[in-house]
């Protein structure tokens, strides 16, 4: 009798892509001689063991992810790290139509004396949110088991972990499972496809991160991206600004027009902020700032500005900026 042939589809444990041995320029590639025993594709193996940054071609696009999630009857946790709360990230969160919780991840980065309940209240008002919001830190194991508590309360066994790239989705799942199977890294788009993980009675599904339309970093600026992703607690940097002071961030973002003001940067402490007095040839665009507002810089963080002013931002990076009421007020 003829034996039926079976094709075994094997997925990389690190990024979720289907392994293949045909094209080493495509995701999931494993050399032929290793394909049987390999748990990780070549790209993940290199990233995990040699920190070598290679190929991050997401396999499912943003709309597909949202579509799959919205057609399911699972639960959704949407992670946004504290420095990345913006109109864009929250608008994507709002596109999720199944039961969900907004998770402010990496709360170990948040200064110790902050009143989380107050911030939660402010976030609800500013972004017009009425769902549950929680804070957690996978690095410090703070509040992570709330994930299971919420699933139990909602009678759900299965949940997607969603969010923009680098929000900490894979790190959270590894912490919940107490291992490090899924690849975590500050390289954008580490996770390339859905990865289903069983933890006790639950199924937790990692997903490829969404990508911001505009970022402070350019493609492949891995060193800068690493600096932008704080590992430890972010110490707020406060400045008493005098008239014509110009702030230059990492030699690319020019900000001026604060007048006499009190401003505080909430960005990674590894990012260079210079005060300069000359800015010849820079073309600016203007934006109105109200008393006690946050100037949100997409992908980088935000600046709290105490007094009303007309802020000038160099034209090339103007699209990174949006303004909101202070989340601390
Ligand atoms: N300080 C701090 N850093 C964290 C935490 N969780 C994750 N990170 C860091 O954030 C970076 C991104 O983490 P990942 O878990 O790979 O993020 P992701 O959301 O899975 O990213 P993609 O797979 O690219 O969508 C890594 O450098 C992590 O070490 C946390 O709780 N605190
Ligand atoms: Mg990931």
């Amino acid at each position: 009798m003829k034996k039926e042939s079976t094709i075994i589809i094997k997925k990389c444990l690190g990024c979720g892509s289907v392994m293949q041995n045909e094209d080493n320029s495509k995701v999931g590639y494993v050399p032929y001689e290793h394909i049987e025993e390999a748990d990780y594709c070549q790209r993940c193996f290199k990233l995990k063991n040699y920190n070598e940054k290679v190929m991050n071609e997401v396999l499912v696009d943003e709309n597909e992810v949202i579509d799959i999630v919205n057609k399911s009857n699972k639960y959704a946790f949407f992670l946004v790290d504290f420095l990345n709360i913006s109109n864009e990230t929250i608008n994507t969160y709002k596109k999720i139509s199944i039961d969900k919780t907004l998770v402010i991840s990496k709360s170990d980065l948040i200064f110790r004396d902050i009143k989380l309940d107050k911030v939660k209240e402010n976030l609800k008002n500013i972004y017009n949110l009425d769902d549950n919001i929680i804070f957690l830190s996978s690095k410090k194991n703070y509040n992570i088991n709330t994930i299971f508590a919420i699933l139990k309360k909602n009678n759900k066994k299965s949940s997607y972990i969603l969010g923009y790239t680098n929000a900490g989705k894979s790190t959270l799942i590894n912490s919940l499972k107490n291992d490090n199977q899924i690849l975590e890294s500050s390289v954008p788009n580490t996770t390339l496809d859905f990865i289903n993980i069983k933890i006790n009675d639950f199924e937790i599904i990692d997903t490829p991160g969404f990508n911001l339309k505009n970022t402070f970093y350019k493609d492949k600026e891995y060193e800068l991206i690493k600096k932008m992703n704080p590992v430890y607690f972010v110490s707020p940097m406060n400045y008493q600004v005098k008239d014509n002071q110009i702030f230059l961030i990492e030699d690319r973002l020019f900000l001026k027009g604060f007048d006499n003001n009190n401003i505080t940067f909430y960005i990674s402490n590894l990012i260079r902020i210079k005060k300069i007095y000359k800015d010849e040839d820079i073309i600016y665009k203007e934006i109105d700032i109200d008393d006690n507002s946050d100037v949100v810089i997409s992908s980088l963080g935000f600046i709290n500005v105490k007094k009303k002013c007309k802020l000038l931002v160099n034209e090339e990076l103007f699209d990174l900026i949006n303004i909101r009421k202070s989340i601390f007020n």
Side-chain angles (χ1 to χ4, degrees):
M1 206 174 82
K2 203 175 154 217
K3 238 182 160 184
E4 250 180 58
S5 65
T6 42
I7 298 170
I8 299 167
I9 295 178
K10 207 169 150 185
K11 281 187 154 197
C12 168
L13 298 184
C15 67
S17 68
V18 174
M19 288 188 187
Q20 50 91 12
N21 56 29
E22 273 158 16
D23 188 346
N24 66 4
S25 68
K26 293 258 157 64
V27 295
Y29 177 75
V30 184
Y32 180 74
E33 60 276 22
H34 296 308
I35 198 133
E36 269 185 32
E37 85 277 2
D39 289 327
Y40 292 88
C41 69
Q42 193 175 60
R43 167 257 194 193
C44 285
F45 186 82
K46 286 182 176 174
L47 192 55
K48 203 176 164 85
N49 295 301
Y50 309 113
N51 201 17
E52 195 178 309
K53 283 112 185 157
V54 269
M55 225 170 22
N56 295 292
E57 179 198 326
V58 178
L59 299 172
V60 203
D61 85 13
E62 174 170 328
N63 292 327
E64 260 178 280
V65 172
I66 294 172
D67 214 44
I68 291 169
V69 170
N70 286 347
K71 281 188 181 135
S72 78
N73 58 0
K74 304 179 194 298
Y75 197 84
F77 291 97
F78 192 103
L79 272 60
V80 182
D81 84 61
F82 187 70
L83 300 180
N84 263 301
I85 304 168
S86 69
N87 288 343
E88 186 176 356
T89 54
I90 299 296
N91 282 340
T92 304
Y93 164 74
K94 287 184 175 175
K95 290 185 190 163
I96 305 300
S97 58
I98 58 175
D99 289 345
K100 62 186 174 182
T101 290
L102 180 64
V103 178
I104 311 299
S105 58
K106 308 189 187 179
S107 11
D108 53 297
L109 302 178
I110 309 175
F111 9 99
R112 284 140 195 151
D113 57 352
I114 188 178
K115 294 186 179 63
L116 294 184
D117 283 342
K118 185 72 190 147
V119 173
K120 231 187 253 187
E121 229 13 74
N122 291 340
L123 287 175
K124 287 187 174 181
N125 290 332
I126 294 167
Y127 291 106
N128 211 354
L129 298 166
D130 45 26
D131 311 291
N132 198 17
I133 301 179
I134 61 167
F135 288 81
L136 60 74
S137 161
S138 311
K139 281 273 168 79
K140 296 273 180 219
N141 269 341
Y142 164 71
N143 215 15
I144 59 171
N145 287 317
T146 313
I147 297 288
F148 297 129
I150 291 173
L151 290 177
K152 275 188 196 140
K153 196 172 150 212
N154 285 276
N155 263 322
K156 297 278 183 188
K157 286 274 175 230
S158 185
S159 171
Y160 289 104
I161 306 292
L162 301 162
Y164 278 78
T165 184
N166 274 342
K169 302 178 291 298
S170 303
T171 308
L172 171 61
I173 298 175
N174 285 339
S175 296
L176 290 171
K177 203 177 169 209
N178 204 11
D179 71 10
N180 61 357
Q181 177 204 305
I182 312 176
L183 214 64
E184 314 164 357
S185 92
S186 65
V187 173
N189 301 121
T190 303
T191 307
L192 303 177
D193 208 336
F194 292 90
I195 308 178
N196 290 45
I197 301 287
K198 275 241 159 284
I199 309 174
N200 306 325
D201 281 351
F202 298 99
E203 177 193 45
I204 306 289
I205 308 166
D206 200 358
T207 61
F210 305 123
N211 289 296
L212 291 166
K213 282 193 196 73
N214 299 297
T215 53
F216 185 76
Y217 57 87
K218 299 187 197 93
D219 206 25
K220 299 200 170 63
E221 282 188 315
Y222 297 123
E223 282 312 307
L224 175 60
I225 295 169
K226 207 169 157 194
K227 284 207 296 183
M228 288 167 61
N229 261 282
V231 178
Y232 308 109
F233 168 78
V234 171
S235 193
M237 288 168 285
N238 181 264
Y239 294 88
Q240 295 296 329
V241 191
K242 297 259 173 324
D243 310 321
N244 302 323
Q245 253 165 17
I246 304 157
F247 287 83
L248 175 57
I249 305 175
E250 283 289 327
D251 293 329
R252 63 181 65 179
L253 177 64
F254 291 78
L255 301 169
K256 71 173 185 181
F258 290 112
D259 287 339
N260 292 316
N261 218 327
N262 183 327
I263 68 171
T264 309
F265 284 78
Y266 296 91
I267 64 177
S268 162
N269 297 125
L270 298 175
I271 294 297
R272 265 178 299 134
I273 304 173
K274 279 193 227 159
K275 282 193 269 179
I276 57 169
Y277 293 89
K278 274 196 184 149
D279 58 345
E280 283 136 27
D281 306 330
I282 303 295
I283 302 166
Y284 285 98
K285 277 174 107 168
E286 189 181 86
I287 185 162
D288 281 322
I289 314 282
D290 254 344
D291 286 338
N292 205 11
S293 301
D294 292 338
V295 174
V296 179
I297 308 165
S298 188
S299 77
L300 188 66
F302 61 95
I303 309 168
N304 177 257
V305 179
K306 283 284 173 266
K307 279 191 343 200
K308 179 178 165 130
C309 62
K310 285 188 187 300
L311 178 68
L312 297 169
V313 183
N314 55 319
E315 197 180 45
E316 298 95 314
L317 296 186
F318 187 80
D319 289 344
L320 291 180
I321 307 290
N322 62 84
I323 311 296
R324 68 172 174 227
K325 269 196 185 148
S326 164
I327 56 170
F328 298 127
N329 193 12

